[in-house]
Amino acid sequence: MKDTFVNAKLSEPKLIRLFMFTSAIKEKTDYILLKDDFTKIKLKLSKQSSMQSLSIYEFALDEELELGHKYKVVINHFGSFPLDINEVPTFPGFDEKYYYDGNDLGMNYHKDYTEFVLWAPLASQVLLKLYDKENNLSIHKLIREDKGVYRIKIKGDLDLSGLKTAKGLKLPKQIGGSLKLSGLANAEG
């Protein structure tokens, strides 16, 4: 809606706060938490406060949300809004639950396969983009494991000299919940 700003945020392990800068919603409406675009969880309004054109809605959750999924808050007849989970690393117990002490993060090359391992506990999806020397693109979805680690093995000899690059290693970029590696270093540097 015009002149409307909505922010849905996981503020505590079992609490979603919805901030709405609008005067559009006056009547009672349903609020749904949508998980991975298909599982619907009806939200229970536990507190509401308003001042001028700002309304704050609080929804108590029965249990903590499982990371590794995409969540949206849907407001009936109003729209859907992504749930911001960026505060989760500050929650009590996060470090114990998601600490990863493995020594295999990054790219691990072997003659028969190359393994890509990334620690990204807040991500709902991780995609690896590889370009070969002819600029052909291949996209690979990494599989989520315990502790928020994503992993994939690409079969075959991914000799670094066979992958296209400008100069050196292109660092990963966080884009919309997906980590995209757009190239790998040339062995000659």
Side-chain angles (χ1 to χ4, degrees):
M1 294 194 135
K2 187 179 177 188
D3 300 326
T4 298
F5 173 79
V6 177
N7 180 286
K9 184 177 209 158
L10 187 63
S11 299
E12 296 174 20
K14 293 184 179 181
L15 181 71
I16 293 175
R17 282 197 180 100
L18 182 69
F19 301 89
M20 296 188 68
F21 294 93
T22 186
S23 55
I25 297 181
K26 298 289 185 196
E27 69 282 347
K28 185 176 173 168
T29 189
D30 290 329
Y31 300 89
I32 304 291
L33 182 64
L34 192 59
K35 177 180 172 182
D36 294 330
D37 292 326
F38 62 90
T39 303
K40 294 180 181 182
I41 304 163
K42 187 168 181 168
L43 293 173
K44 296 174 254 173
L45 184 63
S46 58
K47 184 178 176 185
Q48 178 181 351
S49 56
S50 298
M51 59 184 99
Q52 294 180 350
S53 62
L54 171 64
S55 295
I56 302 171
Y57 303 88
E58 293 187 357
F59 304 96
L61 301 171
D62 293 333
E63 55 189 49
E64 292 184 20
L65 296 182
E66 180 183 357
L67 295 184
H69 298 277
K70 182 172 65 172
Y71 294 98
K72 294 179 188 176
V73 173
V74 179
I75 304 170
N76 211 17
H77 306 294
F78 201 79
S80 66
F81 306 92
L83 181 63
D84 177 353
I85 60 168
N86 289 325
E87 298 285 326
V88 171
T90 67
F91 294 172
F94 178 84
D95 290 339
E96 292 79 21
K97 191 172 184 179
Y98 293 100
Y99 178 76
Y100 182 68
D101 61 357
N103 62 358
D104 59 346
L105 294 175
M107 182 188 79
N108 304 298
Y109 171 79
H110 302 275
K111 184 82 172 152
D112 298 327
Y113 67 92
T114 301
E115 183 177 45
F116 296 87
V117 185
L118 176 74
W119 181 75
L122 299 185
S124 61
Q125 181 180 46
V126 176
L127 300 174
L128 174 68
K129 287 183 165 184
L130 294 175
Y131 293 90
D132 66 17
K133 59 186 174 184
E134 285 85 32
N135 208 28
N136 295 313
L137 170 65
S138 61
I139 299 175
H140 308 272
K141 183 177 179 181
L142 280 73
I143 306 301
R144 186 179 176 98
E145 298 178 348
D146 291 338
K147 306 286 186 184
V149 172
Y150 286 82
R151 179 183 312 269
I152 191 168
K153 282 186 181 180
I154 307 294
K155 292 182 182 179
D157 185 4
L158 287 186
D159 182 3
L160 293 179
S161 63
L163 293 171
K164 181 183 177 205
T165 184
K167 282 188 179 177
L169 179 67
K170 289 188 180 180
L171 296 176
K173 297 178 188 174
Q174 186 73 25
I175 303 173
S178 296
L179 187 76
K180 298 180 181 181
L181 298 170
S182 54
L184 298 173
N186 187 317
E188 299 172 4

